[in-house]
Amino acid sequence: MIATINPATGETIKTFESASSSELAERIARASERFREYRHTSFEQRANWLRAAADLLDAEVDDVARLMTIEMGKTLASAKAEVGKCAKGMRYYADHAEGFLADEPADAEAVGAVKAYATYQPLGVVLAVMPWNFPLWQVVRFAAPALMAGNVGLLKHASNVPQTALYLEDVLSRGGFPDGCFQTLLISSSQVEAVLRDPRVAAATLTGSEPAGRSVAAICGDEVKHTVLELGGSDPFVVMPSADLDRAAEIAVTARVQNNGQSCIAAKRFIVHADVYDAFAERFVARMRDLRVGDPFDSDTDVGPLATEQGRTDVEKLVEDAVSRGATVLCGGQRPDGPGWFYPPTVITDITEDMPIYQEEVFGPVASLYRVGDIEEAVAVANATSFGLGSNAWTSDPEEQRRFITELAAGQVFINGMVVSFPELPFGGIRRSGYGRELSAHGIREFCNLKTVWVGA
Ligand code: NAP
């Protein structure tokens, strides 16, 4: 069902019909036709439209943030911050796209040419399949570079954020992008295959779970179409004896409960050296216990509800299963009574390898705490899941920093800080966390044809 359901109350606010196959075909045709002209627009023109859309986001921040909070439960403060981040990301690509996609000259003489270079050209219609957790930012970090590169976009957003999805099409259109440059498709995941197999669709990007990624990649593999996959993660947060423990504990809490615990790059496993384990655990648990859970519109709330009922059930099951096998809950662990899909900040320890929580991603405010004897064990535990998205390590020892940078199996490593996405830095994972990169120069080049040009006399 495509619907806005308020996670703080469970109330269904608005439902939507999914697009019919003829409507879908009409929208793909519109995108494909638009691409023929749009690819010839100048960087300056595209940048002006994108900056105008960024200005609209800034002007409409209160309304958009409210919509996001109603649809998926993030606190209003974090929703507003997300809107600001999107405006910044749009301006970043408006400023830098042309430089990122400048022709790359080659040694013409060496290849017997008068002129030889590589040039970036847009691929065409790109489908973006997106998740609800950062309903605006996940889309903007695809759309801003894709549009600046001269591609056109189709969005299949998560079924629980239809109004945010429609807003995105609207705000880009009001920014000035011509009709068909960026369209929201209100479709179910079962309709995605038809879009991917359409010959007018050139490529796809998916941010979401592993099963969804596998399905999209399999279809695109069959069609020989380029994909970028940004999938789940179970990021480690390693604390070594030389770390500033107060700061590490403070950031650990933010890294775990940001977005009500539903971030792919949230730190999920806290791996602490035995020498500082007790001191860190005491600080960390005290801070987690002090967090205020409640109405996401209330400015005193730290943690709102989980976005879906199923999401809360999944989190609850992982915790209950671990406890039944001998794990210890240090705080939280019990859902509150009452309406809404709330789950308390929870810290759990005495986790063993046979527990699903050891391997799986916990998409809610639950921290797993591990005690390790040395850096070898820390790296081994950190790398023990099939994921490889982000990683955090806290140490002031330069040799330990070097080892974590080299040895952590992840697309990103942050030393003495938490993993954050910045337009200026590439973002992506390895292993089951996916492949390809978003953001920075690398992100905009993903959906380009790097065409080799050789010109003879
Ligand atoms: P999800 O169930 O995979 O949904 C993501 C998107 O994929 C939604 O639009 C969904 O549509 C669609 N979808 C689901 N199954 C599909 C299929 N078989 N074929 C085509 N499309 C399909 O994931 P989620 O629960 O919304 O999001 C949480 C997951 O996303 C977590 O694992 C999180 O770590 C990951 N994530 C990763 C990143 C990253 O950058 N690496 C960022 C954010 C989130 P419907 O809603 O209609 O099912």
Side-chain angles (χ1 to χ4, degrees):
M1 183 171 65
I2 301 177
T4 298
I5 304 172
N6 184 346
T9 61
E11 184 197 353
T12 300
I13 313 267
K14 197 167 179 184
T15 57
F16 293 80
E17 287 293 319
S18 48
S20 64
S21 14
S22 60
E23 190 186 331
L24 196 51
E26 189 275 316
R27 281 181 169 261
I28 296 172
R30 203 190 304 172
S32 168
E33 278 154 31
R34 172 57 59 197
F35 174 63
R36 266 187 243 140
E37 294 156 35
Y38 180 70
R39 62 176 306 184
H40 299 300
T41 54
S42 66
F43 282 108
E44 191 189 353
Q45 177 64 81
R46 296 172 201 158
N48 286 342
W49 290 330
L50 202 54
R51 286 196 190 98
D55 291 346
L56 286 169
L57 275 183
D58 280 339
E60 295 166 10
V61 55
D62 290 343
D63 289 343
V64 196
R66 199 182 136 70
L67 187 57
M68 289 154 74
T69 298
I70 287 177
E71 290 206 301
M72 53 67 65
K74 67 172 60 208
T75 61
L76 190 63
S78 63
K80 286 183 183 174
E82 184 173 336
V83 177
K85 184 170 180 166
C86 290
K88 185 172 165 243
M90 286 177 171
R91 292 188 183 106
Y92 176 80
Y93 277 108
D95 291 346
H96 295 285
E98 188 168 8
F100 290 155
L101 300 183
D103 289 348
E104 294 177 3
D107 182 346
E109 203 183 321
V111 295
V114 175
K115 205 159 53 168
Y117 59 97
T119 190
Y120 290 96
Q121 298 192 327
L123 285 184
V125 182
V126 183
L127 174 69
V129 182
M130 289 290 150
W132 44 264
N133 62 341
F134 292 93
L136 214 61
W137 172 237
Q138 298 291 357
V139 179
V140 165
R141 70 192 202 177
F142 154 72
L147 289 168
M148 282 307 300
N151 292 298
V152 302
L154 293 173
L155 169 66
K156 184 273 180 273
H157 216 324
S159 295
N160 55 336
V161 289
Q163 297 193 62
T164 309
L166 291 169
Y167 174 79
L168 276 155
E169 174 178 320
D170 181 56
V171 77
L172 288 165
S173 161
R174 283 187 289 131
F177 284 99
D179 179 57
C181 276
F182 186 88
Q183 300 177 73
T184 290
L185 310 174
L186 290 183
I187 55 173
S188 69
S189 55
S190 61
Q191 292 172 283
V192 168
E193 178 163 4
V195 183
L196 295 173
R197 292 206 186 274
D198 191 293
R200 293 165 294 186
V201 174
T205 180
L206 178 137
T207 301
S209 63
E210 201 181 315
R214 197 179 296 117
S215 166
V216 165
I219 296 162
C220 287
D222 195 37
E223 295 286 339
V224 196
K225 290 181 182 177
H226 181 63
T227 50
V228 168
L229 297 183
E230 298 287 359
L231 308 181
S234 188
D235 288 7
F237 187 107
V238 181
V239 183
M240 296 299 283
S242 62
D244 174 343
L245 289 190
D246 285 323
R247 179 123 181 88
E250 183 194 339
I251 301 294
V253 171
T254 308
R256 179 54 285 207
V257 306
Q258 59 175 326
N259 211 37
N260 306 340
Q262 305 158 117
S263 169
C264 54
I265 46 167
K268 294 172 184 135
R269 298 174 299 129
F270 297 81
I271 299 161
V272 187
H273 192 285
D275 289 356
V276 289
Y277 179 90
D278 291 338
F280 176 83
E282 189 189 328
R283 288 166 169 78
F284 181 51
V285 172
R287 284 176 178 275
M288 288 285 276
R289 200 180 269 134
D290 276 354
L291 293 170
R292 293 173 66 134
V293 179
D295 178 1
F297 281 104
D298 185 338
S299 58
D300 287 335
T301 295
D302 299 304
V303 180
L306 298 192
T308 65
E309 189 167 24
Q310 184 61 48
R312 180 173 70 170
T313 305
D314 293 346
V315 168
E316 201 167 36
K317 270 193 191 148
L318 282 168
V319 172
E320 282 173 3
D321 170 88
V323 170
S324 75
R325 292 168 199 252
T328 307
V329 171
L330 300 178
C331 68
Q334 292 288 333
R335 72 151 81 166
D337 291 333
W341 304 313
F342 293 92
Y343 196 82
T346 297
V347 182
I348 181 164
T349 189
D350 299 325
I351 293 164
T352 50
E353 290 178 30
D354 60 312
M355 301 174 186
I357 205 170
Y358 186 83
Q359 276 290 339
E360 287 181 27
E361 176 183 30
V362 189
F363 221 53
V366 177
S368 301
L369 197 53
Y370 296 87
R371 183 197 300 261
V372 291
D374 53 28
I375 191 168
E376 278 73 28
E377 196 186 352
V379 170
V381 174
N383 291 346
T385 73
S386 56
F387 297 110
L389 191 54
S391 58
N392 316 254
W394 288 72
T395 170
S396 51
D397 178 327
E399 174 55 17
E400 285 180 356
Q401 291 183 359
R402 188 195 63 75
R403 285 197 59 186
F404 286 122
I405 291 167
T406 311
E407 296 176 31
L408 287 174
Q412 302 152 78
V413 56
F414 280 58
I415 305 290
N416 297 332
M418 61 179 257
V419 182
V420 175
S421 62
F422 295 101
E424 296 83 357
L425 291 174
F427 184 100
I430 58 169
R431 308 204 283 187
R432 295 290 177 92
S433 292
Y435 51 75
R437 290 293 178 267
E438 293 187 294
L439 301 175
S440 77
H442 299 276
I444 194 169
R445 291 173 184 156
E446 283 283 355
F447 294 108
C448 289
N449 167 20
L450 180 57
K451 185 182 273 182
T452 296
V453 181
W454 185 100
V455 182

